[in-house]
């Protein structure tokens, strides 16, 4: 295969002239794009993005690396497929439900996206690398847009509101995912890791004073577990953003 110098905005596995690969005679039996994509997601979950390769995936599927190229042109194509497959996990609300408040729809969509980023730490760098134009990503984006439109913002403010909410969720979920992965590597529980981290911070010169100033804030946030603390921070921050949208609507 010829190695590409780089990807352009037109390089997407979802282009119609590239999405039909794998339909020719002579391709390896027992394989299809769905099976290859499912294996890619499993491998990315287990080993992370840095270790992912066509050779490693082929070994997982018990085929040769070259056989995968009957179905995709490049590893990037496969990562783009895996990215959209992860979006398929999202349980999306009905955007046209007449009794559903836009605020609750937005909270549900934000919580679902946060969960996706936490379950799949490899997803956030890929979401920034690709166009996110697969069918599952587009379904999610469409629901987000419909929910925010229902808030009553002027048309020129809708994309800004979406950015405010979902770039926050992207950042929160990305950091949370990496934090939990780091905890898992230690073999400690989240609570044990948190206690050790707080204890160490008290012992580091220059850091102890900063943490002393914020101890009352840490105590006030509440929560008996790390999960509860994260959930409360996320919910409060999201409420702030929704209140900001409401304020902009009221301002007219």
């Amino acid at each position: 295969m010829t190695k590409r110098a780089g990807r352009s905005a037109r390089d997407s596995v979802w282009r119609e002239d590239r999405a039909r690969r794998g339909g020719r005679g002579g391709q390896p039996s027992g394989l299809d794009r769905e099976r290859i994509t499912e294996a890619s997601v499993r491998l990315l979950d287990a080993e992370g993005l840095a270790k992912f390769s066509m050779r490693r995936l082929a070994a997982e599927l018990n085929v040769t690396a070259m056989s995968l190229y009957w179905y995709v042109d490049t590893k990037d194509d496969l990562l783009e497929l895996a990215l959209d497959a992860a979006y398929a996990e999202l349980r999306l609300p009905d955007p046209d439900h007449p009794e559903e408040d836009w605020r609750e729809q937005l909270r549900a969509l934000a919580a679902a996206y946060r969960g996706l980023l936490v379950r799949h730490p490899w997803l956030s760098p890929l979401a920034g690398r690709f166009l996110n134009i697969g069918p599952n990503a587009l379904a999610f984006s469409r629901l987000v847009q419909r929910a925010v439109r229902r808030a009553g913002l002027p048309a020129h403010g809708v994309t800004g509101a979406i950015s405010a909410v979902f770039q926050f969720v992207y950042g929160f979920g990305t950091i949370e995912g990496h934090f939990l992965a780091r905890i898992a590597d230690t073999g400690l529980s989240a609570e044990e890791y948190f206690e050790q981290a707080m204890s160490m911070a008290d012992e580091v010169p220059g850091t102890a004073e900063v943490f002393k100033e914020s101890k009352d804030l840490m105590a006030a946030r509440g929560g008996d577990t790390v999960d509860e603390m994260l959930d409360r921070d996320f919910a409060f921050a999201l409420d702030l953003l929704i209140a900001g949208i409401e304020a902009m609507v009221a301002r007219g």
Side-chain angles (χ1 to χ4, degrees):
M1 301 299 295
T2 302
K3 186 176 181 181
R4 298 183 187 178
R7 288 175 69 89
S8 73
R10 294 183 59 80
D11 285 324
S12 172
V13 74
W14 299 110
R15 279 179 55 188
E16 185 177 356
D17 60 339
R18 299 183 59 209
R20 297 173 179 170
R21 197 172 178 88
R24 301 174 295 174
Q27 68 262 38
S29 62
L31 284 183
D32 55 38
R33 268 194 170 183
E34 183 176 357
R35 184 183 170 205
I36 293 170
T37 302
E38 288 174 353
S40 298
V41 172
R42 289 197 306 271
L43 199 58
L44 287 162
D45 285 342
E47 300 183 1
L49 184 58
K51 294 182 180 180
F52 184 83
S53 70
M54 299 293 271
R55 189 178 300 275
R56 178 69 188 86
L57 176 62
E60 182 76 10
L61 290 166
N62 197 29
V63 298
T64 66
M66 287 304 298
S67 67
L68 298 176
Y69 290 107
W70 284 95
Y71 301 93
V72 291
D73 287 335
T74 67
K75 184 178 81 169
D76 275 353
D77 287 349
L78 199 47
L79 291 173
E80 195 173 8
L81 289 169
L83 173 63
D84 196 66
Y87 277 103
E89 296 176 14
L90 294 171
R91 299 182 65 180
L92 303 178
D94 180 358
D96 299 318
H97 196 292
E99 298 178 1
E100 188 72 40
D101 184 82
W102 68 268
R103 300 164 190 81
E104 294 311 309
Q105 282 195 341
L106 200 57
R107 287 189 179 95
L109 290 163
Y113 189 44
R114 172 197 172 192
L116 193 69
L117 291 162
V118 171
R119 289 194 303 277
H120 306 296
W122 50 269
L123 189 144
S124 56
L126 295 186
R129 183 188 305 180
F130 297 114
L131 295 176
N132 295 265
I133 57 172
N136 297 308
L138 287 179
F140 175 70
S141 296
R142 188 180 189 186
L143 285 181
V144 168
Q145 184 179 124
R146 286 185 175 185
V148 176
R149 277 180 180 274
R150 290 176 60 197
L153 287 166
H156 69 264
V158 170
T159 56
I162 291 172
S163 295
V165 173
F166 285 91
Q167 288 186 27
F168 150 69
V169 179
Y170 176 89
F172 194 101
T174 296
I175 292 173
E176 182 181 5
H178 291 309
F179 174 65
L180 296 178
R182 188 163 66 247
I183 292 172
D185 288 340
T186 68
L188 300 172
S189 70
E191 284 64 45
E192 290 169 337
Y193 183 91
F194 181 77
E195 289 298 325
Q196 285 192 11
M198 293 300 99
S199 176
M200 184 199 69
D202 280 337
E203 299 169 2
V204 177
T207 305
E209 184 176 347
V210 175
F211 269 75
K212 184 178 180 181
E213 292 178 4
S214 62
K215 277 187 175 179
D216 61 325
L217 300 179
M218 299 288 285
R221 79 197 300 198
D224 296 326
T225 68
V226 170
D227 283 346
E228 288 176 356
M229 287 187 284
L230 290 171
D231 286 347
R232 290 191 183 195
D233 284 348
F234 181 81
F236 190 81
L238 187 56
D239 281 348
L240 286 176
L241 291 167
I242 290 174
I245 294 174
E246 291 173 327
M248 293 301 289
V249 171
R251 184 185 295 183

